[in-house]
Amino acid sequence: MTKHHQTLQILGGITPTQFLAEFWQKKPLLIKQAIPGFKGLLSPDELAGLACEEDVQSRIVQYIKGKWVASHGPFTEDDFANLPEKPTTDNNWTLLVQSVNHYMPEAMQLLQQFNFIPHARLDDLMVSYAPNGGGVGPHFDSYDVFLLQGQGKRLWRISEQSDLSLVEGAPLRILKNFDTAQEWLLEAGDMLYLPPHLAHWGIAVSDGVIDCMTYSIGFRAPKNQELATEFLGFLQDKLNQDQMVLEGIYQDADLRLQSHPAEISNSMVSKVSANLNKIQWTASMVTEFLGTYLSDPKADVVFDANKKTSMLTFSEKLAKIGVALDFKTQMLFSCENELCQFFINGEMTEFSGDVANVLKMLADNRQLAASEFSATIINNESFIRQLHTWYLAGYLQLGIPKNFNF
Ligand code: SIN
Ligand code: CO
């Protein structure tokens, strides 16, 4: 993780500690030249190409004469050809592509610039393209977002309004009213951080030559209700797997004659309540739940298995070229004393000692250079077997992506 006392250019020269204390989840922060010289990671054509691929989540949002229309990818060249060539204030559009970090090493490395926020909070990198006037309208999001401007410009308006009522029947969440409190014109390399539920409106500004591309680094904040529902499912699995046993059977040796045989008595309710109250969970169960749930891939993520390689060949390659997490992999960990639990794409495994230290590096940095594979580590069979299993499943890739200079 980033050293908290170092000032960061990407945060406008403040430290991560200051950022967390003053801005994170509290108020917006405009950072001029957060990444000087940043022009973006892909061209409009490359983004459109991604939006045409089967397993990529993409949307085109159009604003036509006061109405919002949303369509979902994969798109075809014709879909793009049918969009208005000369956008106007009442006829414009934008293309949005989710999880670009799953497809490009540069995008993954861009996310690593945000290592001052825990990986467990990370959602994805969304990239948008819009000609002049395009955007998704005034809205609010329920997550924290860093809006980094790639090529072109975008006018960002933010509001302090508490009225978050939405236009009824619109295919996306558009605010009924929007009162601009502040606005900024962001240029390539500028960035705006917005906390959840802050009303905002980004309008692409283009000279007709260089259109606007915005990189949204989004951090998920699951609803408490969602966490509770998922946790109850996890607990139910524990009950079914006999890892949490409620002993005994219902007993009523003290049964009294009831005047209504069909009535559920207060006595029965309190006996069952007392038994249900025995359902207890520990902090380590919550950790296991969080690790598996938050590292679980989204429904549309598919891993391509790597071609069969023997463990010996695999370990020789590790020592020669190193290994990296696949771009789609989410790896988290939690340690208590010596023992660490590692969560990778919804699965859990435990290690301690040197192996745990190496795996922590893999989780934090998403890669392990060949030099990290010392003779002791490379001869640790359970460790290599684990990496090999992850490799065959497509969770890891041999070699290390080349460093991208932002
Ligand atoms: C965009 O890039 O057009 C939308 C980003 C946002 O407002 O969340
Ligand atoms: Co937004």
Side-chain angles (χ1 to χ4, degrees):
M1 207 142 175
T2 318
K3 297 208 173 48
H4 279 207
H5 54 269
Q6 270 173 6
T7 60
L8 293 184
Q9 170 115 35
I10 203 164
L11 288 175
I14 62 170
T15 65
T17 310
Q18 279 172 299
F19 172 74
L20 295 181
E22 281 176 49
F23 299 97
W24 179 250
Q25 297 244 306
K26 298 168 200 69
K27 57 182 183 189
L29 175 64
L30 171 71
I31 305 148
K32 292 298 276 178
Q33 291 306 288
I35 305 185
F38 183 76
K39 295 268 183 309
L41 306 178
L42 71 175
S43 68
D45 278 351
E46 286 167 330
L47 189 72
L50 270 181
C52 294
E53 283 183 26
E54 197 61 49
D55 53 350
V56 177
Q57 295 278 322
S58 58
R59 279 173 299 158
I60 290 176
V61 173
Q62 275 186 274
Y63 180 73
I64 313 165
K65 295 197 182 102
K67 277 215 152 90
W68 295 91
V69 184
S71 47
H72 292 263
F75 296 107
T76 61
E77 277 188 30
D78 283 353
D79 293 322
F80 289 107
N82 289 335
L83 292 166
E85 219 174 283
K86 290 249 170 300
T88 60
T89 34
D90 66 358
N91 190 357
N92 56 54
W93 61 278
T94 182
L95 165 70
L96 306 125
V97 180
Q98 295 297 145
S99 301
V100 173
N101 50 305
H102 286 181
Y103 310 104
M104 299 173 66
E106 299 91 327
M108 193 69 243
Q109 285 175 25
L110 176 64
L111 291 190
Q112 286 179 292
Q113 307 268 323
F114 296 83
N115 262 349
F116 50 87
I117 306 296
H119 293 177
R121 290 281 267 105
L122 184 64
D123 192 9
D124 73 341
L125 171 69
M126 178 186 84
V127 182
S128 69
Y129 165 86
N132 196 40
V136 294
H139 67 283
F140 66 92
D141 299 307
S142 28
Y143 46 78
D144 302 83
V145 66
F146 291 88
L147 299 152
L148 172 65
Q149 188 59 30
Q151 63 166 57
K153 296 178 188 169
R154 187 181 286 274
L155 179 70
W156 281 106
R157 295 183 169 148
I158 62 162
S159 167
E160 281 154 11
Q161 67 194 58
S162 48
D163 169 15
L164 296 181
S165 48
L166 301 173
V167 174
E168 282 141 37
L172 60 163
R173 294 146 47 93
I174 303 286
L175 285 166
K176 243 187 209 159
N177 309 301
F178 187 87
D179 307 315
T180 307
Q182 265 181 300
E183 65 174 35
W184 300 283
L185 184 66
L186 268 71
E187 301 186 0
D190 295 344
M191 188 167 76
L192 178 63
Y193 161 73
L194 297 179
H197 298 126
L198 189 109
H200 56 283
W201 186 1
I203 304 159
V205 175
S206 167
D207 54 7
V209 181
I210 300 181
D211 287 335
C212 166
M213 290 184 81
T214 302
Y215 291 69
S216 299
I217 297 102
F219 289 87
R220 76 200 276 202
K223 288 197 173 89
N224 289 333
Q225 185 75 9
E226 169 195 335
L227 285 174
T229 312
E230 294 295 333
F231 181 63
L232 288 177
F234 167 89
L235 270 187
Q236 187 170 0
D237 289 346
K238 290 269 167 230
L239 266 170
N240 290 340
Q241 293 157 6
D242 281 353
Q243 288 177 23
M244 193 171 79
V245 180
L246 293 189
E247 300 287 356
I249 56 170
Y250 181 76
Q251 287 182 329
D252 54 0
D254 55 351
L255 185 63
R256 299 270 177 87
L257 194 60
Q258 293 188 189
S259 46
H260 295 285
E263 189 179 15
I264 296 172
S265 68
N266 289 343
S267 154
M268 184 176 219
V269 170
S270 46
K271 277 182 206 297
V272 173
S273 297
N275 274 324
L276 293 179
N277 280 337
K278 289 182 195 150
I279 301 175
Q280 299 285 329
W281 53 88
T282 58
S284 78
M285 284 163 95
V286 176
T287 309
E288 185 183 334
F289 158 69
L290 282 175
T292 47
Y293 182 58
L294 297 178
S295 69
D296 205 19
K298 288 183 188 164
D300 55 298
V301 171
V302 183
F303 288 93
D304 297 323
N306 276 310
K307 95 172 179 312
K308 279 226 173 336
T309 312
S310 74
M311 232 168 91
L312 182 65
T313 316
F314 175 71
S315 70
E316 281 166 4
K317 287 199 174 154
L318 283 179
K320 264 198 206 127
I321 55 173
V323 73
L325 297 184
D326 184 82
F327 301 145
K328 294 175 184 161
T329 286
Q330 171 77 301
M331 185 177 183
L332 303 170
F333 69 84
S334 167
C335 299
E336 215 183 316
N337 304 319
E338 268 288 280
L339 187 65
C340 296
Q341 294 178 318
F342 294 91
F343 306 96
I344 186 164
N345 301 328
E347 296 162 18
M348 185 186 85
T349 179
E350 290 181 328
F351 282 97
S352 58
D354 286 351
V355 171
N357 289 336
V358 174
L359 285 177
K360 281 198 253 179
M361 262 198 287
L362 175 63
D364 279 342
N365 306 327
R366 299 190 61 88
Q367 62 185 47
L368 284 173
S371 56
E372 303 296 348
F373 291 94
S374 65
T376 5
I377 279 290
I378 208 89
N379 287 320
N380 185 312
E381 208 194 312
S382 59
F383 169 62
I384 299 298
R385 174 165 295 121
Q386 183 61 79
L387 289 189
H388 186 234
T389 308
W390 288 341
Y391 171 73
L392 293 180
Y395 295 178
L396 302 179
Q397 301 302 340
L398 280 163
I400 290 188
K402 129 170 152 326
N403 244 352
F404 187 78
N405 221 350
F406 289 106

